[in-house]
Amino acid sequence: MAMKYVPEPFRIKMVEPIKMLTRQEREEKIKEAHYNMFGLKGEDCYIDLLTDSGTNAMSSFQWAGVMQGDEAYAGASSYYRLREAGQDIFGYQYIQPVHQGRAAEKVLFPVLLGPGKFAVSNMFFDTTRAHVELAGARAIDCVVEEAKNPAKRAPFKGNMDVKKLEELILEHGAENIGLVVMTVTNNSAGGQPVSLENMRQVSQICKKYNIPLDIDAARFAENAYFVKRDEEECKNMSIKEIIRCMFSYGDMFTMSAKKDGIVNIGGLIGIKDEKSPLILKIKANCISYEGFYTYGGLAGRDMEALAIGLYEGINDDYLEYRIGQMEYLASRLDDAGIAYQSPVGGHGVFVDAAAMFPQIPYYEFPGQVLGVELYKEAGIRACDIGSYMLGNDPDTGKQLHADFEFTRLAIPRRVYTQAHLDIIADALIAIKERACQINHGYRITWEPPILRHFQAHLEPVQQ
């Protein structure tokens, strides 16, 4: 039985009209987009779950902050407010704004990585993996085994496999591991959280071998909510205290603020020690790629909105509602016998497309199949998190086989209501009822050399 929906801790003051195209129109639109979700126009999607990045609804306080943004090229007051918020929440001395998360990686990673180097993570998202490879290094995933079984309900399935991490360090040589990255929550594993204890253990290993530890902090607040709920030592701690404690184990963080910062653009780099020699290199790269280091590619109004959003994102009532949306949708799928990465994670429901379409091989991309069917069924745009997104081996060019074949339903923050979630559930149920009739997936007809899933063209595999 579906759980009770957690009511929104806010009132709606503005609305944006959306429309539902006919089934025939949707079939034409997805064909015109070469069966690539990124090729669809936003206005042609009734419920857009492509990503939770930058698709959030800002608060009245944030919009008021936009009007107060200081647009000075250097030393804007909005920069100092953002810096103070970052220092207060994360406990890091140096805070560098950038325009989004991948900009943070572009600025930082080349300083630490290069040819012959490796970066190890609990799991790399595709854009982060790409920046490791663009720096000339190679990315290695090291998530716990429990994460690879979507049906298994276990806490903290986003954790790093600590034993395997140390084995990888010894195998490749500590001097060749340029960086360890802890992604909180673990997006590619289904938005699964990382425990404070696991962060502590990873930090100890990194210190033992003198390897820098970077926290991919895009969904830091959602991760802290799970830690407070499910980790005994943290039940009496505040969300902010948990964040400060978890980040104390890292050396730096990279962050897309377009998630838990509840803004439409922005990112951060944090360095714990203000005397770190990394800071001069970060400033140099930022000036070259992003803009002067006191704005880092952001307008003053965006920095102002982010400084406010960082605090709104750690509010207890907001986080209960936010995770409650995922739990409500997941409970409806439980009732219908639809498999997903369980227990549900923080920013979306990752439906197990391989379980829904066991007849479709990984190289015909089950996650993309379900994404296309969702759009045809109800105008819902979702995203493959599977072999299609993972792409080809950078050395051999062969198609990689992902550990998961998910279709990610990423829920934007403060945007959709219970009625929208019910439409999503109903559409998945309808697809499940006819899933056995779908016997073939898609093949790629054209792809770029890197990050193909943003641009590739696909076509149905003919029966």
Side-chain angles (χ1 to χ4, degrees):
M1 182 177 178
M3 63 168 281
K4 184 178 179 181
Y5 185 83
V6 176
E8 289 81 358
F10 53 81
R11 289 191 293 263
I12 296 170
K13 298 181 70 172
M14 189 187 80
V15 296
E16 176 186 355
I18 54 177
K19 63 178 181 178
M20 174 80 85
L21 302 179
T22 66
R23 170 84 186 211
Q24 181 178 351
E25 288 172 329
R26 296 194 297 272
E27 289 181 350
E28 291 171 357
K29 294 292 184 183
I30 193 63
K31 183 177 181 180
E32 289 170 5
H34 301 284
Y35 299 96
N36 186 326
M37 298 302 163
F38 291 89
L40 290 167
K41 292 181 179 179
E43 65 184 20
D44 293 331
C45 303
Y46 180 63
I47 300 175
D48 198 345
L49 310 181
L50 185 68
T51 180
D52 64 313
S53 178
T55 56
N56 311 296
M58 293 203 302
S59 71
S60 58
F61 295 103
Q62 287 176 292
W63 282 111
V66 166
M67 299 304 296
Q68 296 175 348
D70 180 358
E71 303 303 339
Y73 183 89
S77 59
S78 298
Y79 159 72
Y80 290 106
R81 275 189 282 275
L82 175 57
R83 186 181 72 171
E84 289 166 7
Q87 290 171 336
D88 178 42
I89 292 171
F90 301 105
Y92 280 32
Q93 294 176 321
Y94 183 75
I95 300 294
Q96 174 63 64
V98 289
H99 84 273
Q100 63 181 48
R102 66 193 64 168
E105 295 161 359
K106 181 181 180 182
V107 167
L108 178 65
F109 282 12
V111 177
L112 298 166
L113 298 172
K117 295 285 188 178
F118 297 88
V120 183
S121 177
N122 49 343
M123 283 199 86
F124 285 102
F125 195 59
D126 67 326
T127 48
T128 311
R129 182 183 299 276
H131 278 106
V132 170
E133 294 174 359
L134 286 168
R138 291 293 176 261
I140 304 174
D141 290 332
C142 191
V143 72
V144 291
E145 287 300 313
E146 297 96 309
K148 299 176 183 179
N149 181 359
K152 182 176 182 177
R153 292 183 178 270
F156 301 113
K157 289 170 77 172
N159 279 353
M160 182 84 77
D161 186 328
V162 177
K163 182 175 182 291
K164 183 179 176 182
L165 171 63
E166 189 156 21
E167 290 172 353
L168 286 167
I169 293 170
L170 295 173
E171 176 186 348
H172 294 287
E175 70 280 5
N176 296 317
I177 307 297
L179 192 63
V180 170
V181 180
M182 284 290 276
T183 308
V184 297
T185 58
N186 191 331
N187 186 11
S188 294
Q192 295 295 306
V194 171
S195 71
L196 184 62
E197 175 59 24
N198 188 245
M199 182 67 78
R200 184 181 295 123
Q201 292 171 353
V202 171
S203 176
Q204 289 169 351
I205 289 175
C206 288
K207 284 180 170 58
K208 177 179 177 181
Y209 294 101
N210 197 29
I211 299 170
L213 175 56
D214 173 47
I215 300 174
D216 182 336
R219 299 174 179 90
F220 72 99
E222 292 168 5
N223 198 92
Y225 176 89
F226 287 113
V227 168
K228 181 176 177 63
R229 190 189 70 181
D230 297 332
E231 202 160 359
E232 190 61 36
E233 70 172 286
C234 302
K235 290 188 181 298
N236 295 320
M237 296 171 66
S238 70
I239 293 294
K240 185 176 172 183
E241 286 171 339
I242 292 168
I243 293 165
R244 289 289 292 259
C245 188
M246 177 160 278
F247 278 71
S248 72
Y249 294 116
D251 299 303
M252 63 202 73
F253 72 80
T254 46
M255 176 183 178
S256 168
K258 297 163 65 177
K259 284 83 168 175
D260 278 358
I262 325 183
V263 289
N264 307 125
I265 196 70
L268 296 173
I269 300 170
I271 303 295
K272 183 192 291 182
D273 182 3
E274 64 183 353
K275 296 179 181 179
S276 170
L278 287 174
I279 292 174
L280 277 179
K281 297 176 183 179
I282 288 169
K283 286 182 176 180
N285 281 352
C286 185
I287 293 170
S288 298
Y289 301 137
E290 290 287 286
F292 190 60
Y293 65 83
T294 62
Y295 76 91
L298 289 175
R301 55 185 172 267
D302 297 319
M303 291 192 285
E304 200 76 46
L306 175 53
I308 297 166
L310 286 170
Y311 285 105
E312 292 184 352
I314 63 175
N315 176 270
D316 290 291
D317 292 337
Y318 159 75
L319 284 169
E320 182 183 6
Y321 148 77
R322 170 68 177 160
I323 305 303
Q325 279 199 312
M326 312 308 147
E327 292 174 335
Y328 174 80
L329 179 55
S331 69
R332 284 219 52 199
L333 301 191
D334 286 335
D335 289 346
I338 295 174
Y340 58 90
Q341 176 66 296
S342 59
V344 71
H347 67 282
V349 178
F350 288 59
V351 181
D352 188 349
M356 186 171 287
F357 302 112
Q359 68 274 26
I360 297 177
Y362 75 92
Y363 50 82
E364 292 184 9
F365 315 129
Q368 188 70 4
V369 172
L370 181 53
V372 171
E373 292 302 314
L374 271 169
Y375 183 72
K376 290 180 180 179
E377 182 69 31
I380 299 164
R381 176 159 64 169
C383 181
D384 166 278
I385 305 288
S387 297
Y388 170 54
M389 186 191 76
L390 186 59
N392 301 318
D393 186 289
D395 297 313
T396 67
K398 292 183 178 180
Q399 171 65 55
L400 295 168
H401 187 178
D403 289 325
F404 320 101
E405 301 295 342
F406 291 141
T407 302
R408 184 185 70 177
L409 312 176
I411 310 296
R413 293 160 184 80
R414 303 190 295 208
V415 171
Y416 293 118
T417 66
Q418 179 180 358
H420 292 113
L421 299 187
D422 283 331
I423 289 171
I424 298 164
D426 292 342
L428 285 165
I429 292 167
I431 294 167
K432 181 177 184 288
E433 290 174 351
R434 55 180 172 80
C436 61
Q437 302 170 22
I438 302 171
N439 294 312
H440 295 278
Y442 292 87
R443 71 178 188 91
I444 294 173
T445 61
W446 173 83
E447 61 183 292
I450 194 165
L451 291 173
R452 72 180 184 193
H453 82 287
F454 287 107
Q455 301 181 72
H457 294 179
L458 301 99
E459 68 178 11
V461 173
Q462 299 301 316
Q463 299 185 19

